[in-house]
């Protein structure tokens, strides 16, 4: 069984491709139709349990950490547990932090991989998506990388194959600050370029956006406070009308694996 969390689709793509390659089932942890009891039974019957998620601020995306924390104690004992994190460049100590979450559920991370994918981060000035040639280069190497990973998973290898980058301890030290201050939901807004299509609301993995009439009766997105900082609403907008504070007006959008359905 493969559990995944994804904002802009990179990790979903990786999870679905790996599911095909190793003939397993991929489950979106934020799927509204998930039945907690059936899920627990399914995990109990699984020999392998995998997790696929993006790196946020050199750590595991909080949504996947919270999902693991919600599982019953010892449910991962005696399983072959693996993780694949997708990242723009480097993971820091993501695997160590996630390994601790797994240990709390009686498991041990046997296999650890990263896949470098196009960057989607736009929430701080000075960051932004990759230039087109870098994006294409990254995407060009994904298939071969996933085939290698799937081979290791089929062999049940014990392996750490991850791009930590330089100064991982230092970089991952900012993760707790990210969890506390990484996104200020009030900064999300739509500009007058909004065409009321509702795609931002549909794409939000946490259902944090509602369409509501503005003072002129035009349907506009309204952001709630449960933002996962995934940036999907920013990237999906066909009019580039979703903005975060003032600086994102300069940033391009990343859409490769983003689907509004
Ligand atoms: C809030 C946030 C923080 C991020 N932090 C990192 C990071 O520390 N290192 C990195 O290489 N990529 C980082 N990224 C880029 C994503 O990990 C990368 O684009 C990932 O593949 C996105 O996955 P998704 O499309 O499944 O959401 C960050 C992205 C977001 C939205
Ligand atoms: S995706 Fe853009 S255009 Fe569509 S409703 Fe949201 S802000 Fe408006
Ligand atoms: S509001 Fe936007 S950034 Fe926040 S979780 Fe939803 S789609 Fe992601």
């Amino acid at each position: 069984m493969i559990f995944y969390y994804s904002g802009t689709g990179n990790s979903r793509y990786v999870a679905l491709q790996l599911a095909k390659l190793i003939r397993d089932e991929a489950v979106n942890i934020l799927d509204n139709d998930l039945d907690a009891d059936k899920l627990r039974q399914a995990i109990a019957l699984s020999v392998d349990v995998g997790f696929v998620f993006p790196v946020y601020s050199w750590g595991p995306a909080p949504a996947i950490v919270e999902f693991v924390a919600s599982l019953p104690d010892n449910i991962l004992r005696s399983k072959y547990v693996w993780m694949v994190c997708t990242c723009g460049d480097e993971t820091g100590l993501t695997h160590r932090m996630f390994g601790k979450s797994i240990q709390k559920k009686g498991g041990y991370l046997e296999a650890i991989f990263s896949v470098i994918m196009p960057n989607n981060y736009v929430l701080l000035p000075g960051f932004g998506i990759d230039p087109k040639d870098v994006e294409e280069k990254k995407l060009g190497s994904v298939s071969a990388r996933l085939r290698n990973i799937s081979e290791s998973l089929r062999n049940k290898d014990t392996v750490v194959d991850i791009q930590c980058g330089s100064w991982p301890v230092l970089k991952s030290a900012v993760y707790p600050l990210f969890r506390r201050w990484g996104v200020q939901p009030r900064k999300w807004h739509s500009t007058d370029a909004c065409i009321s299509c509702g795609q931002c609301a549909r794409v939000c993995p946490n259902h944090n956006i509602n369409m509501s009439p503005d003072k002129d009766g035009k349907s506009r997105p309204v952001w709630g406070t449960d933002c996962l900082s995934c940036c999907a609403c920013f990237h999906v907008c066909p009019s580039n009308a979703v903005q975060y504070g003032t600086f994102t007006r300069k940033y391009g959008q990343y859409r490769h694996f983003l689907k509004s359905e």
Side-chain angles (χ1 to χ4, degrees):
M1 190 146 221
I2 304 173
F3 293 106
Y4 72 89
Y5 158 71
S6 182
T8 55
N10 289 350
S11 311
R12 176 176 49 207
Y13 176 80
V14 166
L16 297 182
Q17 291 305 307
L18 284 175
K20 267 190 216 158
L21 288 163
I22 63 172
R23 293 165 194 263
D24 206 338
E25 188 191 352
V27 176
N28 178 357
I29 61 162
L30 297 180
D31 185 339
N32 269 352
D33 298 331
L34 272 194
D35 176 319
D37 289 334
K38 281 192 189 146
L39 200 67
R40 282 168 199 166
Q41 279 169 20
I43 298 174
L45 294 172
S46 297
V47 179
D48 306 351
V49 183
F51 297 90
V52 181
F53 55 87
V55 170
Y56 283 180
S57 196
W58 300 284
I64 199 87
V65 175
E66 281 155 26
F67 173 75
V68 172
S70 74
L71 296 174
D73 287 347
N74 289 322
I75 193 157
L76 297 175
R77 192 174 294 281
S78 311
K79 312 273 180 210
Y80 177 72
V81 185
W82 55 269
M83 65 162 262
V84 176
C85 57
T86 73
C87 63
D89 294 295
E90 51 189 37
T91 65
L93 298 180
T94 297
H95 61 302
R96 293 230 191 119
M97 294 185 228
F98 193 63
K100 284 185 187 155
S101 300
I102 297 297
Q103 273 171 11
K104 283 187 189 155
K105 299 298 162 182
Y108 176 74
L109 262 184
E110 299 274 0
I112 295 166
F113 305 92
S114 58
V115 181
I116 295 181
M117 303 285 279
N119 199 358
N120 66 355
Y121 184 72
V122 293
L123 300 182
L124 278 176
F127 287 77
I129 63 165
D130 296 318
K132 208 72 200 153
D133 59 326
V134 174
E135 179 182 315
E136 277 166 14
K137 198 168 166 215
K138 287 178 174 180
L139 290 171
S141 59
V142 172
S143 293
R145 176 77 176 138
L146 295 183
R147 273 196 306 278
N148 286 344
I149 293 175
S150 67
E151 224 162 274
S152 286
L153 295 178
R154 271 197 297 267
N155 294 336
K156 298 212 180 341
D157 290 343
T158 298
V159 54
V160 179
D161 178 2
I162 188 164
Q163 297 280 332
C164 296
S166 53
W167 307 100
V169 177
L170 206 61
K171 286 174 179 160
S172 292
V174 305
Y175 180 74
L177 299 176
F178 161 76
R179 289 202 62 161
R180 180 75 183 85
W181 305 107
V183 68
Q184 294 167 39
R186 274 178 310 157
K187 287 193 175 178
W188 288 117
H189 62 280
S190 65
T191 66
D192 288 343
C194 174
I195 55 168
S196 309
C197 69
Q199 286 195 53
C200 51
R202 283 197 294 278
V203 83
C204 177
N206 214 26
H207 311 288
N208 186 46
I209 305 172
N210 285 310
M211 296 301 290
S212 175
D214 67 7
K215 61 179 177 2
D216 301 319
K218 183 179 165 184
S219 182
R220 293 276 284 261
V222 177
W223 278 261
T225 52
D226 288 334
C227 178
L228 303 175
S229 69
C230 75
C231 304
C233 52
F234 171 81
H235 293 293
V236 82
C237 178
S239 314
N240 204 2
V242 173
Q243 301 295 330
Y244 182 76
T246 51
F247 53 86
T248 46
R249 267 173 295 158
K250 296 183 211 131
Y251 294 158
Q253 294 166 290
Y254 170 63
R255 299 168 185 275
H256 195 82
F257 294 116
L258 232 181
K259 299 254 165 58
S260 51
E261 276 77 45

